[in-house]
Amino acid sequence: MKLGITMPSRTAPLSRIPDYARMADEAGFESIWTYELYRNPFSMLCTSALTTSNAELCTGLATAFNRSPFEAANAAADVDELSGGRMKLGLGTGVPEFLQAFHSTDFQRPIKRLSEYVEALRRSWAYLAGEEVEPFNGTYYQFTAPPINPWGLRDGVRSDIPILIAGMRPQLLKLCGAKADGWIGYLWTPKFFEQVVLPNITEGARSAGRDPDALDLACEIICCVHPDRDVALARAKKHVGFYIAHPVSDVVAEIEGVQDLVNGLRASMMQKGLAAFEETPEELVELFSITGTPEECRQKVDNYKALPHLALHTSYVPPFTAEESEDCYLQIIDAFKR
């Protein structure tokens, strides 16, 4: 199993990101992840590339529908160039509410749009590498090489950067198998992985004549480590509650038979706001996170051996401060350094 870690970039000073990446690289983590909220994940990985030499640099995730495929292709190529070919593009649709409120677009027909996006992305990389590229004319995205480009092309390390599609429901998982190089998920459980993720990714891959065993299947798992187990548990409750309350998590909650607990948490959130997550049931914490003392957490990682690529997810959601998230990150590094 490949072991990675996510950097706490929501509130940390941007100047700390290269240091976070260096720490994880020196500690032996095989992949380092950052995510998109307000800050640009590509720029953070570019600075991380300058302080690392071994770990893969991954967006977990970057959002598609708020930028053109060509812009995303160049941003990923920047990271790939600076890192010597260590970039992996974890790609998601984007949050529907943000797309409408901030990006002047919508969430209509996300499967078809994301499928076309991947087609345009790959053509962009091929074109920039000097290859002959067939035009693509989709409903939402197009790519046609201009007849004359006086600016020339760009130097790059690779003409095709690995794409990991984020998805939790069957249709996105099938798309992942059919067109992506891997999958990125969250709130993993063995039952969810075996009953939903693997069958749908396998179906999608085989329908496209691809080998499902060749895909990089990765998942970000909330990890709260602390010598004081009570501190670790209190932190995990806030993060797990924040995640499980979102409707996209229902597919996992239903399979695990905890939908009533999730619905109760949502009802409490309507009354207490974010404070409700401090009372997230311990059953949900145990099910959806790696939480406890360093020794406990190292033992719990053994439960994820069926997962090819595990990214330990540092707590960062509100109301975590930059200082608290940094401590969460450093505790993970100290517990899992190799």
Side-chain angles (χ1 to χ4, degrees):
M1 180 179 64
K2 185 182 295 183
L3 189 65
I5 188 170
T6 66
M7 296 186 289
S9 59
R10 181 181 70 89
T11 52
L14 283 174
S15 59
R16 287 291 283 157
I17 299 300
D19 292 330
Y20 289 155
R22 175 187 52 76
M23 293 174 194
D25 196 48
E26 291 177 351
F29 285 90
E30 295 165 276
S31 61
I32 299 169
W33 301 72
T34 192
Y35 43 82
E36 181 157 27
L37 185 58
Y38 300 124
R39 290 169 166 171
N40 188 301
F42 299 106
S43 64
M44 289 187 283
L45 290 184
C46 278
T47 61
S48 299
L50 301 176
T51 59
T52 59
S53 56
N54 297 305
E56 295 173 340
L57 301 178
C58 315
T59 54
L61 47 87
T63 53
F65 299 163
N66 59 323
R67 55 171 60 87
S68 76
F70 190 72
E71 195 279 332
N74 275 282
D78 288 345
V79 179
D80 209 49
E81 179 181 338
L82 284 170
S83 66
R86 291 183 284 125
M87 170 70 185
K88 282 193 173 179
L89 177 57
L91 190 67
T93 58
V95 179
E97 302 92 323
F98 276 25
L99 292 173
Q100 293 169 348
F102 300 147
H103 300 297
S104 303
T105 187
D106 55 48
F107 193 67
Q108 308 238 341
R109 302 189 71 186
I111 307 299
K112 181 174 178 60
R113 286 175 68 183
L114 195 57
S115 176
E116 291 185 5
Y117 197 97
V118 171
E119 292 283 355
L121 258 178
R122 291 220 167 97
R123 281 169 171 78
S124 298
W125 285 321
Y127 167 75
L128 291 167
E131 299 178 13
E132 291 289 332
V133 180
E134 290 291 324
F136 175 71
N137 292 298
T139 303
Y140 298 96
Y141 299 103
Q142 300 82 39
F143 185 89
T144 302
I148 299 174
N149 180 357
W151 295 102
L153 303 175
R154 67 170 290 168
D155 292 329
V157 179
R158 294 179 287 180
S159 61
D160 195 14
I161 294 169
I163 299 171
L164 279 60
I165 287 180
M168 299 291 283
R169 297 183 182 276
Q171 293 307 311
L172 266 176
L173 292 167
K174 289 174 186 175
L175 175 64
C176 176
K179 290 202 170 179
D181 301 292
W183 168 72
I184 176 66
Y186 81 128
L187 296 182
W188 185 94
T189 69
K191 190 182 295 185
F192 174 63
F193 192 62
E194 293 165 7
Q195 295 184 11
V196 178
V197 177
L198 283 180
N200 284 290
I201 286 180
T202 299
E203 180 181 338
R206 289 178 176 165
S207 71
R210 308 176 75 217
D211 180 7
D213 292 334
L215 301 180
D216 182 6
L217 305 185
C219 198
E220 297 175 342
I221 307 297
I222 296 166
C223 183
C224 292
V225 188
H226 200 276
D228 186 334
R229 193 179 190 281
D230 289 340
V231 173
L233 181 61
R235 288 174 169 177
K237 284 184 175 183
K238 289 185 282 189
H239 198 166
V240 171
F242 194 102
Y243 268 22
I244 197 66
H246 195 281
V248 75
S249 305
D250 283 350
V251 63
V252 190
E254 290 169 2
I255 281 181
E256 292 295 339
V258 293
Q259 192 65 59
D260 288 345
L261 291 177
V262 173
N263 291 338
L265 188 62
R266 288 172 181 160
S268 178
M269 181 184 68
M270 296 301 293
Q271 295 179 337
K272 301 179 181 179
L274 295 180
F277 300 143
E278 297 175 8
E279 301 169 3
T280 298
E282 288 190 32
E283 181 179 346
L284 297 180
V285 171
E286 287 299 313
L287 190 59
F288 296 122
S289 75
I290 298 170
T291 296
T293 65
E295 182 58 31
E296 286 177 312
C297 289
R298 286 190 289 267
Q299 292 176 1
K300 288 180 178 181
V301 163
D302 289 340
N303 299 330
Y304 294 82
K305 285 184 176 178
L307 181 64
H309 192 166
L310 167 63
L312 301 175
H313 199 23
T314 305
S315 291
Y316 71 99
V317 299
F320 281 92
T321 66
E323 293 75 18
E324 289 172 326
S325 287
E326 178 170 302
D327 185 63
C328 291
Y329 185 71
L330 297 179
Q331 294 285 353
I332 294 173
I333 287 180
D334 189 57
F336 289 94
K337 61 188 175 185
R338 297 179 174 181

